[in-house]
């Protein structure tokens, strides 16, 4: 079965109901193509909590938080930089990650539980990690790794900072 096979009927419907409306700045087919080609790459770049911590400690690695600014300010992984997914542009990304070969670690709401406001779960099929991974690759950032597991914010070994950080277990330190 081809990746993103469920999108083909959507493309057919678009043609059946009057075809596509011309806009050279929006290309759904190219998005589907890009997302489909990245599926095996993304799967190989999902890392465990221990791997994430080890990679985060390496010089030159950037942890990118693509959630909204208010959620980031309330709680984020210690040392993370912020750029909301909605603000991704060539220049904005270059300001945050100047070198496209930099190793970038990403995470999203769906990686953490027991923090329902600042890490509110998204529908699994549109989790922010998926969109962030695809967008970073589309802009030429290919050294991207994604935190894989669902972790408890109170017991994970990953440290947080921000205005609303819950007390973590001593084992998490």
């Amino acid at each position: 079965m081809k990746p993103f096979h469920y999108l083909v009927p959507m493309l057919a419907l678009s043609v059946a109901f009057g075809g596509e409306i011309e806009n050279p700045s929006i290309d759904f087919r190219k998005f589907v193509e890009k997302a489909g080609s990245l599926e095996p790459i993304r799967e190989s770049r999902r890392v465990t909590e221990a791997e994430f911590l080890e990679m985060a400690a390496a010089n030159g690695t950037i942890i990118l938080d693509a959630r909204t600014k208010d959620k980031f300010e309330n709680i984020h992984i210690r040392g993370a930089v912020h750029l909301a997914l909605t603000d991704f542009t060539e220049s904005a990304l270059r300001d945050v990650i100047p070198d496209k070969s930099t190793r970038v670690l990403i995470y999203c709401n769906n990686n953490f539980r027991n923090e329902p406001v600042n890490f509110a779960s998204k529908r699994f099929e549109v989790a922010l990690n998926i969109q962030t991974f695809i967008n970073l690759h589309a802009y030429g950032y290919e050294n991207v790794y994604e935190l894989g597991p669902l972790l408890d914010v109170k017991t994970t070994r990953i440290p947080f900072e921000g205005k609303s950080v819950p007390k973590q277990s001593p084992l998490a330190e």
Side-chain angles (χ1 to χ4, degrees):
M1 191 173 293
K2 289 184 179 177
F4 295 91
H5 65 281
Y6 55 88
L7 296 174
V8 174
M10 292 171 64
L11 292 171
L13 275 175
S14 119
V15 172
F17 287 102
E20 293 186 46
I21 297 170
E22 283 294 316
N23 183 337
S25 296
I26 302 170
D27 192 329
F28 187 73
R29 283 188 173 96
K30 287 290 185 190
F31 170 80
V32 170
E33 186 180 299
K34 177 59 110 176
S37 72
L38 289 174
E39 185 177 23
I41 296 166
R42 179 184 163 264
E43 194 55 40
S44 73
R45 295 293 183 93
R46 297 180 73 231
V47 298
T48 66
E49 176 184 32
E51 290 168 326
F52 188 92
L53 285 165
E54 183 179 327
M55 294 169 102
N59 284 340
T61 297
I62 290 179
I63 303 169
L64 178 66
D65 188 319
R67 297 174 303 138
T68 61
K69 187 169 180 65
D70 64 318
K71 301 297 188 225
F72 174 81
E73 288 175 348
N74 286 335
I75 184 172
H76 58 272
I77 292 176
R78 186 178 301 145
V81 297
H82 177 257
L83 181 62
L85 179 67
T86 55
D87 293 332
F88 278 25
T89 62
E90 197 78 50
S91 64
L93 281 162
R94 189 174 37 253
D95 288 345
V96 176
I97 314 167
D99 182 350
K100 288 187 177 185
S101 67
T102 299
R103 180 167 51 195
V104 180
L105 303 178
I106 62 172
Y107 66 96
C108 77
N109 291 6
N110 289 21
N111 286 120
F112 299 104
R113 64 175 175 248
N114 284 331
E115 180 57 39
V117 173
N118 295 304
F119 285 123
S121 291
K122 305 293 184 194
R123 290 194 53 119
F124 66 87
E125 66 270 29
V126 291
L128 187 59
N129 276 352
I130 297 168
Q131 298 168 57
T132 303
F133 191 90
I134 293 167
N135 273 263
L136 286 170
H137 273 261
Y139 281 103
Y141 295 87
E142 297 181 355
N143 195 8
V144 181
Y145 292 82
E146 173 188 334
L147 180 61
L150 176 61
L151 304 168
D152 188 313
V153 295
K154 296 176 182 159
T155 59
T156 181
R157 293 180 18 236
I158 295 174
F160 297 103
E161 58 189 5
K163 298 186 291 189
S164 303
V165 177
K167 179 154 177 53
Q168 285 183 280
S169 159
L171 297 175
E173 297 295 320

